[in-house]
Every structure is written in structure tokens, then in C-alpha cells.
Amino acid sequence: MSNDDIKRALDDARLFLVLQPIVSTLTFQPMFYEALLRLRLSDGGIRPAVDFIEAVEGAGLIGAIDRRALDLVVDLLEQHPAFHVALNISSLTTSDFTWLRALDRLTSDRPGLTRRLTVEITETAAITDIDRTQAFVDALKEMGCRVAIDDYGAGHTNFTNLNLLAPDIVKIDRTYTMHAAHAGNERTFVEALIDLSRTLSFETVAEGVETDASAKALADLGVTYLQGYFFGEPGLPQDVLDVGQERS
Ligand code: G
Ligand code: MN
């Protein structure tokens, strides 16, 4: 995918969001949804964010992409007043205060909207410039958003940074959670992280839950929320949220 393809996709509004449910371990019902970015190619094919984000970051286009994702998620929250959504942003965006100002501008006349938005930042973001990331995170919390550290365990955040950022939620990477159903180092790591999170008052999400056994094991270990193909693949908002609405 060339930079021109990506620019054209932005111009043609071919970026869209899909939603994946994040369920409570108490009820196994969706409590919120992770919004994942997709790109519709001109030939009709669809690409997930992992396929183009690195290229976009390299080409200096991530500001425009994360800004579009913000517009999309604000629209979504406005259209569905009962729902809470978690949005991923690039580690580069955590030092981009124009993105924060855009969020502030978009939500200042929409009371309560930021309370239904969680912003997911990746561990790598936390280490490149911790002071700036901390200021960014503090500003998000000030606006009423929740903050989640994504893919925890796969990156490089140390305890000091975790303590400084004080996220509302820690999302435990699937390389650990996928082995939680049986004893071993991965389960020990998950247990330790749940313990730590409880002490520091962070909620936890186990990512990549693909089986019933894994869901039960993680619930028994005391994870707050579960996410993964076992509970639902990412789907179009109208499909995912309508089902959610019927249930509630
Ligand atoms: O980095 P982040 O956790 O935001 O990435 C989410 C990615 O994980 C998405 O591409 C999503 O499709 C994928 N994903 C979601 N649930 C599962 C799962 O149960 N198993 C696997 N292997 N991938 C998943
Ligand atoms: Mn994420």
C-alpha cells in the first residue's frame, strides 16, 4: 500500500471502525467495545490497522489517521448513547497535543461523552517520552476519559512508568493470557499482574480469549474483563451494537 493509496483512502473516507466486545467476568455480558480501524481498498478489499499503521507512521500520516479515528468514534458515541468504546491511538499520538485539543473541541458541547471513551495507549508509547505521555494521560483523565495500557507484557513498560501513568485499565497481552488455563510461567505472570493491578486499583482486561477453558481460568484468577474471539470477533457497529441493545 503506497502513501498515495493511504492519502486517497483518507480523502475518500474509506477508513471505518469495527467493534469487538469486552465482557465482564461477573456476567459475561459486554461492558464496552474496542474500536478497531479498518481500511477499505479501492478494489473493495479490507485491511486491518496492523497491515498499514507502521507504513502510515513512517510516512508521517498517523496524525491524520488518528484524527479521523477520533471523528469516527465521537460520531459513534453520539449515535449510541448507551455505549462505551475504547479507541487505540498510535504511540506517536501520545505526544501530539493537537489530537487532545481536537478531542476537547469535539466533546465540549456533548456532556458526558468523554465518560464513555477509553483511550488505549501502547507500552512502547510509555517509554519513549514518559513525561509527555504522562501529561497526555493526565489531560485525558481530566477530560473524563479512561485510559488503558494496551498489550501489557509484550512491550517495555516498567513498574515506575505504570505507577506514573496510573491507567484505569491494564490490558494483558494474549501471549500470556492464552496459556492461563494451565500452570506455567505465563499463568504466574498473569496472576502477578492481577495482584499488582488490584493493589494499585487498576482494572484488567485479558486479551485474546479464544476458548471456554481460557475464559473460565482467567475469570477464576480475578481478571475484570475478557476480550477475544470466544466472545465475539470485531464486527460493524450496526451489527454489534444492535445485538447489544436487544440484550440489555
Ligand atoms: O493491539 P490490540 O490489542 O489493540 O490488537 C487487537 C487485535 O487483536 C485486533 O487485530 C483483533 O482482531 C485481534 N484479536 C482480537 N481478539 C483476538 C483473539 O481472540 N485472538 C487473536 N489471535 N487475536 C485477536
Ligand atoms: Mn487495543
Side-chain angles (χ1 to χ4, degrees), residues 18 20 34-36 38 48-50 88 120 122 150-151 171 173-174 178 207-211 227-234:
V18 288
Q20 185 177 35
E34 177 169 1
L36 297 157
R38 295 276 191 273
V50 289
N88 296 281
E120 297 196 4
T122 56
D150 210 359
D151 304 330
K171 298 189 75 175
D173 192 71
R174 70 169 164 270
M178 68 195 287
E207 297 182 327
V209 180
E210 295 183 354
T211 65
Q227 176 180 8
Y229 297 153
F230 181 67
F231 294 101
E233 297 201 7

Side-chain angles (χ1 to χ4, degrees), residues 192-209:
L193 197 49
I194 292 168
D195 246 16
L196 176 77
S197 298
R198 207 179 272 132
T199 308
L200 299 178
S201 304
F202 309 151
E203 293 189 316
T204 43
V205 175
E207 297 182 327
V209 180

